[in-house]
Amino acid sequence: MNCGDIEEFAPLWHSGELDSERRGEFDAHVSTCAACAAELREQAMADEQLRELIAAEPADTRAIEEQVRRRMASGKIARWAIPGLAAAAALIAIVLWRAPKPTPINPVLVADAVRDHTAELVNHAPRRWRADASEIGTIEKSQGIQDEDVKALEATGYHLQRARICRLGGAPWIHLVYARDGREFSVYMRVKEGQSVPESAESAGSLQLASFTHGRVQAVIVTDAPKGECAKFAKDAEHALL
């Protein structure tokens, strides 16, 4: 296995669902690759932070968990999509309890986006970021994203710093980092496929989340900026794409 394989199979490894042959290959690579080993530790730490958040603020998750189980049974969510899917459902229940009006973002995307942002921007896990404009353009092209859509978001007052490919909900997204005055926003963007990401603004512990779909582009936004700033960024970003 190479580093790309490790990123792809990490959810199965965390959940103990890799077959013995692949697990052996997985463990052999991680034992000799410090970067992959560090990434797995960061993922485990982020999962633990999610569990601590849930334990600190309990909520009745029965309805959410039942909905997730129904969707899993129908094949709409792969059961290996993320480690701790029940924890993600519980996190959404907390969000709903705090702010019942907005439509919640898909719980799979929430859990993956929170974990990815925490590992990469909060804990600074080693990643292969692309900062050169031509390299970012290559990433955009590989995912069918228009460069003008990415640059349009700089109308928010935040400037694009770097980008890489990550996986949310088992699918590839471009992780774009916009920054200003030491404050950073993770913008996860991809071409819309099937159902749109609902427009929403939520909280997950100290992180703020927002989402929107405009035309062929859908985006999920995560930041530790003060409350309200994430929703404003999302609104300004959507207007910039008009």
Side-chain angles (χ1 to χ4, degrees):
M1 285 191 178
N2 56 35
C3 294
D5 295 327
I6 297 303
E7 183 174 2
E8 179 179 355
F9 290 114
L12 290 174
W13 184 85
H14 282 292
S15 62
E17 296 180 81
L18 276 180
D19 60 66
S20 58
E21 180 179 355
R22 283 183 174 173
R23 183 177 182 87
E25 295 175 355
F26 189 103
D27 291 342
H29 176 90
V30 172
S31 67
T32 60
C33 180
C36 286
E39 181 172 350
L40 289 175
R41 288 194 297 270
E42 294 292 347
Q43 291 173 356
M45 184 182 300
D47 287 343
E48 180 62 27
Q49 289 172 344
L50 283 175
R51 287 191 290 270
E52 290 176 358
L53 173 64
I54 293 163
E57 200 165 345
D60 184 357
T61 66
R62 288 172 296 180
I64 300 295
E65 290 177 354
E66 180 60 29
Q67 181 181 357
V68 171
R69 282 193 290 269
R70 287 199 302 268
R71 295 179 65 186
M72 288 170 63
S74 67
K76 294 181 179 180
I77 298 180
R79 73 184 185 93
W80 48 264
I82 59 167
L85 189 53
L91 175 60
I92 291 303
I94 293 172
V95 171
L96 287 170
W97 176 78
R98 288 177 175 174
K101 292 183 180 180
T103 302
I105 309 171
N106 183 306
V108 174
L109 298 183
V110 167
D112 279 359
V114 166
R115 184 177 63 189
D116 192 79
H117 176 90
T118 300
E120 298 185 355
L121 271 67
V122 178
N123 296 326
H124 305 292
R127 296 289 191 273
R128 294 183 62 187
W129 290 100
R130 306 299 184 185
D132 181 79
S134 62
E135 291 184 335
I136 293 176
T138 299
I139 293 176
E140 295 166 354
K141 185 176 180 181
S142 72
Q143 300 302 308
I145 296 293
Q146 300 296 321
D147 186 57
E148 53 264 33
D149 290 337
V150 171
K151 291 180 178 178
L153 269 60
E154 293 191 330
T156 61
Y158 289 80
H159 300 288
L160 180 63
Q161 300 293 307
R162 57 193 186 276
R164 68 183 297 270
I165 299 295
C166 69
R167 299 185 75 82
L168 303 185
W173 292 64
I174 297 180
H175 183 182
L176 304 158
V177 178
Y178 293 82
R180 184 184 70 190
D181 300 329
R183 183 174 295 164
E184 294 181 316
F185 280 76
S186 287
V187 179
Y188 300 93
M189 184 181 293
R190 73 183 304 230
V191 174
K192 181 176 65 177
E193 294 182 1
Q195 187 176 3
S196 300
V197 172
E199 295 181 11
S200 181
E202 305 173 355
S203 298
S206 62
L207 299 179
Q208 305 295 314
L209 297 94
S211 62
F212 68 85
T213 298
H214 181 82
R216 62 192 297 273
V217 173
Q218 57 186 26
V220 175
I221 303 166
V222 186
T223 184
D224 59 358
K227 187 175 182 179
E229 187 67 18
C230 189
K232 181 180 184 301
F233 182 97
K235 182 177 180 181
D236 290 346
E238 188 174 8
H239 287 169
L241 291 171
L242 292 176

